[in-house]
Amino acid sequence: MTNPAVQLPAIDVVDHVVPLSANQPTWALRQQREKVVSATQSSYDAMFSHKVEGLSRTERLLVALHACRVSKAANLAAHYREELDAEGADAAVANAVERGEIASLADARLRAVLLFTGKLIERPIEGDRAAIDALAAHGLSTPALVALSQLIAFLSYQVRVVAGLKALAAAEVSA
């Protein structure tokens, strides 16, 4: 059975969070590799537009918000918060995640997912078999575990792309 895709806005997320103008060298540099620009956005679309067994879109957006907060990627965090708001996510839960108050969340499964996310970002060596088993004990299926790991890897990449573009743009201004 085919799952309907969620309609996503027709924007390039990286361009949205790092607003560059067409006359900037950083914009031109990014556009030189159209294939990379397209693949990055296609990866985003794949992470958030399709149904994933055992991991809702809201949960994936909360993971993204938490990953961006942990990574100190404020522009991306703001994007994911906007997506959560548009999704109709529980504002109290989103607020707690945005503030890093994971322990205050009533949903033990969501707490486990977010703690795992933070572990993989801050201390990847702790993303071991015991960490995976803890997620499975909270009801995450193998497809959900794989999707979660892919999502965290994508977010790490996205954070770095945005940080690099912001640094290049800032260097242009100061030059």
Side-chain angles (χ1 to χ4, degrees):
M1 179 172 132
T2 305
N3 294 315
V6 173
Q7 186 65 28
L8 294 172
I11 64 164
D12 179 286
V13 174
V14 173
D15 283 347
H16 178 70
V17 300
V18 184
L20 301 170
S21 62
N23 65 344
Q24 286 181 272
T26 300
W27 182 86
L29 178 66
R30 181 166 192 256
Q31 298 308 314
Q32 282 179 359
R33 296 297 307 259
E34 191 279 326
K35 185 176 179 179
V36 174
V37 171
S38 177
T40 299
Q41 184 59 38
S42 293
S43 294
Y44 172 91
D45 294 342
M47 293 291 143
F48 295 103
S49 67
H50 302 287
K51 186 172 180 175
V52 173
E53 177 190 326
L55 204 58
S56 72
R57 182 168 192 266
T58 297
E59 288 171 320
R60 287 176 276 156
L61 289 168
L62 287 166
V63 165
L65 178 61
H66 181 58
C68 292
R69 188 197 63 75
V70 169
S71 301
K72 298 177 181 27
N75 290 13
L76 271 173
H79 166 76
Y80 288 113
R81 179 56 196 253
E82 289 169 10
E83 289 295 308
L84 280 161
D85 292 343
E87 184 83 5
D90 183 323
V93 171
N95 289 339
V97 172
E98 197 167 33
R99 290 189 304 263
E101 298 171 356
I102 305 308
S104 72
L105 297 173
D107 183 341
R109 182 179 176 279
L110 180 59
R111 275 196 321 269
V113 165
L114 296 175
L115 289 171
F116 179 77
T117 300
K119 250 183 212 184
L120 282 188
I121 292 169
E122 296 180 307
R123 298 170 311 281
I125 197 162
E126 292 180 21
D128 57 9
R129 184 69 195 176
I132 298 291
D133 289 344
L135 289 172
H138 280 92
L140 268 78
S141 65
T142 299
L145 289 167
V146 170
L148 177 61
S149 297
Q150 289 174 328
L151 174 59
I152 295 166
F154 168 74
L155 292 165
S156 294
Y157 163 76
Q158 187 184 47
V159 163
R160 283 165 180 75
V161 167
V162 167
L165 288 171
K166 285 175 65 177
L168 286 170
E172 284 175 21
V173 172
S174 67

PDB file of all heavy atoms in Angstrom, residues 21 23 102 153 157 161 173:
ATOM      1  N   SER A  21      21.638  36.281  -1.355  1.00  0.00           N
ATOM      2  CA  SER A  21      21.132  36.895  -2.575  1.00  0.00           C
ATOM      3  C   SER A  21      21.970  36.426  -3.759  1.00  0.00           C
ATOM      4  O   SER A  21      23.123  36.005  -3.609  1.00  0.00           O
ATOM      5  CB  SER A  21      21.142  38.418  -2.458  1.00  0.00           C
ATOM      6  OG  SER A  21      22.461  38.883  -2.277  1.00  0.00           O
ATOM      7  N   ASN A  23      23.542  37.905  -5.897  1.00  0.00           N
ATOM      8  CA  ASN A  23      24.784  38.631  -6.181  1.00  0.00           C
ATOM      9  C   ASN A  23      25.903  38.283  -5.206  1.00  0.00           C
ATOM     10  O   ASN A  23      26.996  38.827  -5.316  1.00  0.00           O
ATOM     11  CB  ASN A  23      24.531  40.145  -6.186  1.00  0.00           C
ATOM     12  CG  ASN A  23      24.113  40.673  -4.825  1.00  0.00           C
ATOM     13  OD1 ASN A  23      23.728  39.913  -3.946  1.00  0.00           O
ATOM     14  ND2 ASN A  23      24.175  41.978  -4.659  1.00  0.00           N
ATOM     15  N   ILE A 102      13.967  17.859  28.240  1.00  0.00           N
ATOM     16  CA  ILE A 102      13.538  16.534  27.797  1.00  0.00           C
ATOM     17  C   ILE A 102      13.002  15.703  28.968  1.00  0.00           C
ATOM     18  O   ILE A 102      12.021  14.982  28.831  1.00  0.00           O
ATOM     19  CB  ILE A 102      14.709  15.794  27.105  1.00  0.00           C
ATOM     20  CG1 ILE A 102      15.288  16.627  25.968  1.00  0.00           C
ATOM     21  CG2 ILE A 102      14.295  14.415  26.625  1.00  0.00           C
ATOM     22  CD1 ILE A 102      14.310  17.132  24.955  1.00  0.00           C
ATOM     23  N   ALA A 153      21.470  11.397  11.091  1.00  0.00           N
ATOM     24  CA  ALA A 153      22.616  11.583  10.194  1.00  0.00           C
ATOM     25  C   ALA A 153      22.352  12.730   9.218  1.00  0.00           C
ATOM     26  O   ALA A 153      23.224  13.584   8.993  1.00  0.00           O
ATOM     27  CB  ALA A 153      22.919  10.291   9.436  1.00  0.00           C
ATOM     28  N   TYR A 157      24.350  16.481   8.851  1.00  0.00           N
ATOM     29  CA  TYR A 157      24.812  17.014   7.573  1.00  0.00           C
ATOM     30  C   TYR A 157      24.200  18.395   7.329  1.00  0.00           C
ATOM     31  O   TYR A 157      24.908  19.358   6.985  1.00  0.00           O
ATOM     32  CB  TYR A 157      24.437  16.044   6.446  1.00  0.00           C
ATOM     33  CG  TYR A 157      24.481  16.645   5.066  1.00  0.00           C
ATOM     34  CD1 TYR A 157      25.700  16.871   4.419  1.00  0.00           C
ATOM     35  CD2 TYR A 157      23.310  17.009   4.408  1.00  0.00           C
ATOM     36  CE1 TYR A 157      25.743  17.428   3.157  1.00  0.00           C
ATOM     37  CE2 TYR A 157      23.346  17.567   3.143  1.00  0.00           C
ATOM     38  CZ  TYR A 157      24.557  17.783   2.522  1.00  0.00           C
ATOM     39  OH  TYR A 157      24.601  18.340   1.275  1.00  0.00           O
ATOM     40  N   VAL A 161      26.088  22.007   6.692  1.00  0.00           N
ATOM     41  CA  VAL A 161      25.945  22.786   5.458  1.00  0.00           C
ATOM     42  C   VAL A 161      25.532  24.219   5.799  1.00  0.00           C
ATOM     43  O   VAL A 161      26.117  25.182   5.301  1.00  0.00           O
ATOM     44  CB  VAL A 161      24.922  22.131   4.501  1.00  0.00           C
ATOM     45  CG1 VAL A 161      24.529  23.084   3.375  1.00  0.00           C
ATOM     46  CG2 VAL A 161      25.474  20.836   3.935  1.00  0.00           C
ATOM     47  N   VAL A 173      31.075  39.430   4.126  1.00  0.00           N
ATOM     48  CA  VAL A 173      30.707  40.735   4.687  1.00  0.00           C
ATOM     49  C   VAL A 173      31.910  41.401   5.316  1.00  0.00           C
ATOM     50  O   VAL A 173      32.102  42.611   5.178  1.00  0.00           O
ATOM     51  CB  VAL A 173      29.561  40.571   5.719  1.00  0.00           C
ATOM     52  CG1 VAL A 173      29.301  41.861   6.461  1.00  0.00           C
ATOM     53  CG2 VAL A 173      28.305  40.077   5.021  1.00  0.00           C
TER      54      VAL A 173
END
